[in-house]
Amino acid sequence: MALFANIIIDSPLKTNFFYSIPNDLKENLQLGHFVKVPFRNKKKIGCVVGFSSKVDFDESKIRQIEEIINLEIIVPEELLLLSKWISNYYFCSWGEALFASTPAVLRNRVIKLVKSVSTNNNCTDYKVTLKQQEIISFLKVQKEPIPIHQLIGENTFSSSIINTLIKKNILNLEHIKENNNEIERSSHSYLSQNIIKPQLTDEQSNAVNIISKSLIKFQFHSYLLLGITGSGKTEVYLEIIQKAIELGKQAIMLVPEIALTPQTVATFKNRFNNVAIMHSNLTDKQRFLEWRKICAGNVDVVIGARSAIFAPLNNIGVIIVDEEHETSYKQDRAPRYNARDISILRAKNNDATVILGSATPSLESYLNSLNKKNTIINLKKRVGISRLPTFHIINLKDEVTSNKKFEIFSDYLLQEIKANIKRLQQSIIFLNRKGYFPHLSCKKCGETIKCKSCDIGLTIYKSQNKASCNYCGYSIYIPKNCPTCKSENIIFKGFGTERVEQVLRLLLPNARILRMDGKTMTTSKKHEKAYNDFKKHKYDILIGTQMIAKGLDFPKVTLVGILQIDSSLAFLDFRMAEKAYQLLCQVAGRAGRSKDLGKVVIQTYNPEHYVIEHAIMNNYKTFAIKELENRKKLSYPPYCKLAKILFRSRNERILISYTNHLSSSFKKVALDMKQICLGPAPAGIEKLENDYRIQFLFKCNSNGQRKKLLELVEKSISTSKHIRYFIDIDPQSTI
Ligand SMILES: [Zn+2]
Ligand SMILES: [Zn+2]
């Protein structure tokens, strides 16, 4: 009989804690239960990860578990083990990994009873008013009692009328357990379209056939679905999920948060019956109910962003990672996991199939396919009549000399936009900067005007008359004097979406222009409306950032203008060429999605740059081979196992001297193991939210070596309240 429970808590401490199990909990306590425990002089929530009948220290010092948070909430053992693996690989505590992979609401929600009503069939002959009749009619067609708060809130019935009807015995009052009806109802708005299943192309059915082979065998297999934009990867995903369900299996579909639009969700809800959604816009209650529904086995397909990889399904047949190269799959706080890599692991653990899909895969995944660690499947043709766009490069060096009036838009691009409006077609203008002027500096002393807490230049937002930090949100009125030398000679430079919009409105006063960026699209409702309005051709031109680069399908767009790609070509980081290439392909892919041929105009000061040249050729493989050579030469991933340790402190002096002190022991450990340690060096952003930041990089030749090295290195770090650090395994960037 177990007397003690092994408990993990949400803390960076890499220890498990033992608590004794009180008699009244012995019957019920299970592996995976969340429990309340005394911890130091506080109460904490922990999770049961093991039992034992004895402990190897003084039993009298052991404290007792106080209560089980919710008897019905049990984290499946597979997820307990997965989070343990994550803690080992990503250098965080088991508690951090587990708490990050389960919704917080599971730990603080007790199932409530809610007051609900239904109609009483043996009605008296009481004469009802019109308003009362409305409620009765509404309830008559419901299968189950409806919570009163919902009748008042969502259906806007009056509470006094409901109470009258209860008193008159026309409505039955019951106390029922909260159930998942509300979720189903609220998601009905997705079920608007009646989509006809399209005929698969030869390429698509070939892909489905290949993948089905491993799916049917219930064996782990990894596929890289390399399909150009518009080649219909989604249709392949849907077919495979369908097959998995027919085999009695379940599916996880990961999409980048930004692409998790109502349209995407609708596509899946229209095709499958039992779909659960996991994304950041859910309310706590929805999140709780979805998790429980999945756990109970009532779900065939889970669709969601990064964290959906932790969906508590127990019979996974296939995991799909769409746009697998997306950086948003990597979490930027502890645990710093990459959902793509966890997908492969989870598929392995479940003898399942994993599909990584992209038009521009990460070089990690592409190298894996060259090394036969995954099977590559190509979709080389666009579906239907749409063709790949043609490219036109504007050399801005020539433009500035020949076009005296040049400001943002080249003559060629402007004429193309005008012609496009005349042809009743739509245009997209892409640039990767928000705001009006992204650069502020002082002409006298040369200082860039920066955020007071970060090493980041302020951006002018003219419509708000503000200068703001795009990282921490710090904002001031547009400065009239240089904060350093008080000179009034401030230079405003560059352009962001806000300024592009204003300039374009002056150039084309009659054009209907829409802007989509982080400043204008503050809610998902606004986003959805903008999307629908543009699709319905209520606008001629869409100006936007990254937000418009992904997944949006506008059949009438035949022109895409790309401004300011040059800042993405300044190679500050080993992944920048890859990212710039991916961005160019994605944005270009928005053009010509129907019968009319699309055109992409790129304005650049670097027309011969190899990233641009390869993007124009639209041949991912030639780009990937070239870029892999570069990585190999410089020994960067995927040719080394990278790790970053970043130290931060409010006190710059202490930080510099401490990291210098660590440097010699770090380097000695690395040298002894024949691995590479670089640093200490200021992080790409040297100061962020008042913290100074200094980092070390480690390049290792295997996961095992990296693990061993970091364990040794971590031992020499002594934590203090002045200096904090984190370890980032497989970091997305070195800056
Ligand atoms: Zn800031
Ligand atoms: Zn100055």
Side-chain angles (χ1 to χ4, degrees):
M1 186 81 185
L3 298 169
F4 306 103
N6 187 356
I7 308 272
I8 54 172
I9 57 164
D10 188 12
S11 138
L13 293 172
K14 286 176 186 161
T15 20
N16 304 335
F17 301 92
F18 283 91
Y19 286 88
S20 65
I21 307 167
N23 282 330
D24 60 321
L25 294 185
K26 279 205 170 105
E27 285 275 293
N28 291 321
L29 191 68
Q30 289 187 41
L31 205 65
H33 264 144
F34 288 109
V35 290
K36 192 193 268 182
V37 290
F39 188 80
R40 294 184 184 142
N41 51 4
K42 285 192 199 130
K43 307 281 180 217
K44 280 226 172 215
I45 306 284
C47 183
V48 181
V49 294
F51 293 106
S52 89
S53 52
K54 58 178 196 299
V55 285
D56 46 13
F57 49 88
D58 186 359
E59 285 185 17
S60 65
K61 289 203 174 124
I62 290 191
R63 300 163 84 180
Q64 247 186 12
I65 293 175
E66 292 192 357
E67 61 173 338
I68 300 171
I69 300 297
N70 187 332
L71 270 177
E72 292 180 28
I73 295 298
I74 296 168
V75 181
E77 198 173 351
E78 188 220 336
L79 289 182
L80 293 179
L81 294 174
L82 185 66
S83 56
K84 178 149 201 202
W85 184 92
I86 288 173
S87 72
N88 277 324
Y89 185 85
Y90 289 103
F91 277 80
C92 62
S93 74
W94 191 359
E96 280 178 311
L98 181 83
F99 279 59
S101 56
T102 47
V105 63
L106 299 180
R107 296 181 276 280
N108 53 28
R109 193 173 182 88
V110 184
I111 296 186
K112 284 190 303 198
L113 295 177
V114 285
K115 283 186 184 174
S116 307
V117 286
S118 55
T119 50
N120 196 341
N121 285 332
N122 37 10
C123 257
T124 54
D125 48 357
Y126 169 73
K127 255 221 166 337
V128 293
T129 65
L130 214 59
K131 284 253 162 87
Q132 290 171 332
Q133 187 55 50
E134 266 180 44
I135 300 181
I136 296 166
S137 311
F138 176 83
L139 287 172
K140 267 208 173 118
V141 295
Q142 307 296 329
K143 287 189 198 124
E144 283 159 2
I146 302 298
I148 292 179
H149 69 84
Q150 187 188 323
L151 286 174
I152 298 167
E154 277 174 42
N155 307 105
T156 62
F157 291 120
S158 125
S159 63
S160 66
I161 298 178
I162 295 171
N163 285 332
T164 313
L165 290 172
I166 294 170
K167 271 186 209 135
K168 299 278 177 205
N169 216 8
I170 293 170
L171 295 186
N172 278 336
L173 177 67
E174 293 169 68
H175 290 80
I176 58 164
K177 273 190 185 175
E178 275 181 324
N179 62 15
N180 51 16
N181 286 344
E182 291 175 56
I183 282 242
E184 288 303 324
R185 215 168 284 123
S186 68
S187 47
H188 264 316
S189 57
Y190 291 127
L191 296 165
S192 48
Q193 304 133 289
N194 215 340
I195 292 170
I196 303 151
K197 208 168 121 182
Q199 184 80 33
L200 292 188
T201 64
D202 288 349
E203 275 189 337
Q204 285 171 328
S205 16
N206 178 48
V208 170
N209 287 339
I210 295 172
I211 299 167
S212 300
K213 279 184 192 142
S214 68
L215 194 69
I216 289 169
K217 283 190 234 152
F218 303 132
Q219 274 174 4
F220 167 72
H221 200 104
S222 170
Y223 295 94
L224 178 61
L225 185 62
L226 172 55
I228 61 167
T229 54
S231 61
K233 290 186 285 293
T234 307
E235 212 39 57
V236 174
Y237 303 152
L238 291 167
E239 278 296 313
I240 292 296
I241 293 173
Q242 175 100 48
K243 285 192 191 292
I245 294 172
E246 282 162 12
L247 291 165
K249 290 284 183 176
Q250 300 163 322
I252 297 179
M253 174 82 212
L254 297 187
V255 297
E257 181 87 46
I258 204 167
L260 194 56
T261 57
Q263 294 78 34
T264 314
V265 174
T267 308
F268 285 82
K269 288 224 160 190
N270 278 315
R271 187 76 171 259
F272 307 111
N273 287 327
N274 305 311
V275 179
I277 315 158
M278 291 176 96
H279 64 77
S280 56
N281 279 340
L282 295 186
T283 63
D284 270 357
K285 184 172 177 183
Q286 287 172 324
R287 215 182 295 274
F288 180 85
L289 294 171
E290 290 288 72
W291 199 87
R292 219 180 41 173
K293 195 166 83 179
I294 299 167
C295 233
N298 297 331
V299 164
D300 295 327
V301 186
V302 173
I303 172 166
R306 184 174 62 218
S307 64
I309 191 53
F310 301 115
L313 292 166
N314 55 21
N315 192 15
I316 299 172
V318 62
I319 302 176
I320 297 165
V321 187
D322 191 27
E323 308 290 343
E324 66 88 32
H325 61 276
E326 272 291 316
T327 44
S328 65
Y329 284 126
K330 177 94 157 89
Q331 178 152 290
D332 56 7
R333 55 180 189 277
R336 292 177 166 76
Y337 69 91
N338 188 323
R340 176 198 61 214
D341 300 339
I342 304 296
S343 297
I344 299 170
L345 179 74
R346 209 170 169 204
K348 240 180 225 167
N349 294 345
N350 285 278
D351 298 319
T353 296
V354 60
I355 306 171
L356 311 177
S358 176
T360 52
S362 63
L363 291 180
E364 281 83 352
S365 297
Y366 187 63
L367 184 64
N368 278 342
S369 75
L370 295 179
N371 293 337
K372 306 271 180 274
K373 285 187 186 161
N374 64 42
T375 305
I376 193 163
I377 302 173
N378 295 291
L379 299 177
K380 291 178 181 161
K381 294 191 206 109
R382 278 195 164 184
V383 171
I385 39 177
S386 90
R387 285 161 293 165
L388 281 170
T390 59
F391 285 85
H392 191 97
I393 308 294
I394 301 291
N395 186 344
L396 289 181
K397 284 179 223 156
D398 299 342
E399 186 76 20
V400 269
T401 45
S402 66
N403 179 359
K404 289 284 169 275
K405 289 179 296 178
F406 173 70
E407 187 193 14
I408 302 177
F409 289 94
S410 63
D411 219 20
Y412 181 86
L413 179 55
L414 194 62
Q415 295 314 321
E416 285 292 316
I417 297 172
K418 282 184 191 164
N420 224 25
I421 295 175
K422 262 200 195 123
R423 284 193 294 262
L424 301 178
Q425 290 173 340
Q426 292 176 296
S427 309
I428 284 179
I429 303 298
F430 171 85
L431 75 161
N432 223 351
R433 267 185 201 286
K434 293 183 290 186
Y436 199 85
F437 291 116
H439 301 290
L440 291 184
S441 58
C442 169
K443 197 167 185 179
K444 197 172 163 208
C445 71
E447 285 285 313
T448 299
I449 298 173
K450 288 180 180 169
C451 170
K452 74 168 178 24
S453 325
C454 313
D455 182 37
I456 291 176
L458 295 178
T459 296
I460 296 285
Y461 292 91
K462 208 176 178 185
S463 56
Q464 295 159 320
N465 197 25
K466 289 266 172 70
S468 311
C469 168
N470 282 338
Y471 187 84
C472 74
Y474 167 78
S475 116
I476 51 171
Y477 286 107
I478 297 176
K480 296 205 167 58
N481 306 84
C482 165
T484 312
C485 75
K486 305 289 175 242
S487 152
E488 284 177 18
N489 222 332
I490 293 178
I491 314 168
F492 298 91
K493 264 197 317 211
F495 53 88
T497 43
E498 194 186 343
R499 181 157 168 228
V500 168
E501 182 188 359
Q502 200 188 56
V503 168
L504 203 55
R505 282 189 193 284
L506 288 174
L507 291 168
L508 306 169
N510 296 321
R512 299 167 301 165
I513 300 172
L514 173 69
R515 172 160 64 96
M516 283 174 88
D517 58 30
K519 280 279 165 180
T520 56
M521 298 294 121
T522 43
T523 65
S524 56
K525 274 228 170 75
K526 281 187 185 169
H527 193 275
E528 200 183 341
K529 184 175 184 319
Y531 172 88
N532 286 328
D533 285 352
F534 190 65
K535 195 159 189 167
K536 285 182 200 147
H537 206 162
K538 288 188 182 170
Y539 296 95
D540 303 307
I541 302 165
L542 171 62
I543 299 169
T545 53
Q546 204 102 3
M547 185 179 278
I548 63 169
K550 282 158 202 162
L552 302 181
D553 199 356
F554 302 113
K556 279 190 181 164
V557 170
T558 49
L559 175 67
V560 169
I562 301 175
L563 314 178
Q564 244 194 7
I565 192 70
D566 299 289
S567 56
S568 309
L569 299 173
F571 294 150
L572 306 169
D573 178 60
F574 74 98
R575 248 185 255 271
M576 273 190 108
E578 183 186 347
K579 295 288 155 222
Y581 178 85
Q582 287 162 346
L583 190 63
L584 272 177
C585 289
Q586 259 165 357
V587 179
R590 300 304 116 219
R593 300 295 286 248
S594 63
K595 65 182 194 312
D596 301 303
L597 189 62
K599 180 179 269 186
V600 179
V601 179
I602 302 176
Q603 297 192 167
T604 174
Y605 286 97
N606 302 287
E608 314 82 23
H609 198 288
Y610 76 95
V611 167
I612 294 180
E613 280 184 340
H614 280 89
I616 292 171
M617 288 194 294
N618 215 306
N619 188 333
Y620 167 79
K621 287 182 186 173
T622 56
F623 170 76
I625 301 281
K626 179 175 172 68
E627 194 54 21
L628 280 172
E629 278 168 20
N630 291 344
R631 300 275 181 91
K632 196 171 192 173
K633 236 184 280 166
L634 300 168
S635 179
Y636 269 112
Y639 293 100
C640 79
K641 299 292 172 186
L642 198 64
K644 174 163 90 179
I645 304 186
L646 191 144
F647 291 87
R648 57 203 175 97
S649 172
R650 292 280 144 113
N651 187 320
E652 194 178 14
R653 196 180 44 80
I654 293 179
L655 183 68
I656 290 173
S657 81
Y658 185 64
T659 46
N660 279 335
H661 157 79
L662 284 177
S663 173
S664 50
S665 66
F666 281 13
K667 293 217 158 113
K668 186 176 181 309
V669 175
L671 194 67
D672 288 349
M673 289 181 62
K674 298 195 175 65
Q675 311 295 314
I676 297 166
C677 167
L678 303 171
I685 300 169
E686 291 179 35
K687 187 185 170 200
L688 204 54
E689 295 183 286
N690 291 317
D691 276 339
Y692 294 89
R693 296 142 47 94
I694 288 180
Q695 67 183 28
F696 291 88
L697 281 182
F698 297 88
K699 289 175 167 182
C700 304
N701 45 29
S702 73
N703 284 334
Q705 291 282 23
R706 178 174 63 188
K707 172 100 181 140
K708 210 170 131 195
L709 172 67
L710 290 176
E711 275 169 356
L712 289 170
V713 154
E714 214 182 359
K715 274 187 194 143
S716 58
I717 303 172
S718 54
T719 45
S720 84
K721 66 178 194 301
H722 297 294
I723 294 179
R724 282 158 298 156
Y725 75 97
F726 67 79
I727 298 179
D728 192 357
I729 301 290
D730 305 328
Q732 278 297 314
S733 83
T734 53
I735 55 171

